[in-house]
Amino acid sequence: MDPARSATHRPAQLVHEYSLFAPADATAPRVCRDFVRAVLFTHGREALVMPAALCTSELVTNVHLHTKGAAILRVRLNSARLHVSVFDESPDPPVVARPVAGVVACWGRGLALVDEVADAWGVADARTGRYAKGVWFELWPAV
């Protein structure tokens, strides 16, 4: 190959995309968490497994607890970031409950955990079919 050509030719960044439909079932958080773990292990991204599993579990658990409906999990992985979205049928925006000193609570800390663990998170602007809302997080691997 011509050295001048190889210096200017840059292949497009490879993006791996996966989707999973999770029915309205108590096993959905575990199934989605395991799915994300499998994607990361398959692509040699072991350092992202624990934070991604925690954030995925929290977002899917929120769907199960607050909407009682199905969810769609979308995973996008490239060399720069992991982007995970969880779409549900509820138009209600998520609420971040912040821990209060001296108060013990059994739930309500999921999005606060995601906020602490993820490099970024938010609510998707666009609808996906019948799914009214998508909550997402990103992890940016250390280089």
Side-chain angles (χ1 to χ4, degrees):
M1 177 178 261
D2 177 13
R5 184 172 181 262
S6 65
T8 59
H9 176 71
R10 304 256 189 268
Q13 188 177 31
L14 186 59
V15 176
H16 303 280
E17 295 189 30
Y18 301 88
S19 296
L20 177 71
F21 174 81
D25 185 85
T27 62
R30 179 178 48 86
V31 170
C32 291
R33 179 177 61 239
D34 291 348
F35 181 79
V36 171
R37 290 170 48 113
V39 167
L40 294 171
F41 278 125
T42 298
H43 292 286
R45 306 299 283 276
E46 290 83 2
L48 299 178
V49 168
M50 293 303 289
L54 172 66
C55 292
T56 300
S57 185
E58 293 300 334
L59 295 186
V60 178
T61 297
N62 281 349
V63 172
H64 180 69
L65 291 176
H66 302 294
T67 73
K68 305 297 184 211
I72 291 181
L73 175 73
R74 291 212 175 130
V75 179
R76 289 177 50 100
L77 178 67
N78 63 31
S79 62
R81 72 189 61 211
L82 168 69
H83 183 98
V84 176
S85 301
V86 178
F87 294 89
D88 65 55
E89 298 176 18
S90 171
D92 299 332
V95 177
V96 180
R98 297 289 176 191
V100 177
V103 176
V104 177
C106 295
W107 60 74
R109 308 288 195 245
L111 288 176
L113 284 171
V114 172
D115 188 46
E116 289 295 319
V117 172
D119 292 302
W121 77 275
V123 179
D125 295 331
R127 292 177 53 101
T128 301
R130 74 176 197 220
Y131 294 89
K133 173 181 74 250
V135 182
W136 57 268
F137 71 87
E138 288 186 347
L139 297 173
W140 307 328
V143 180

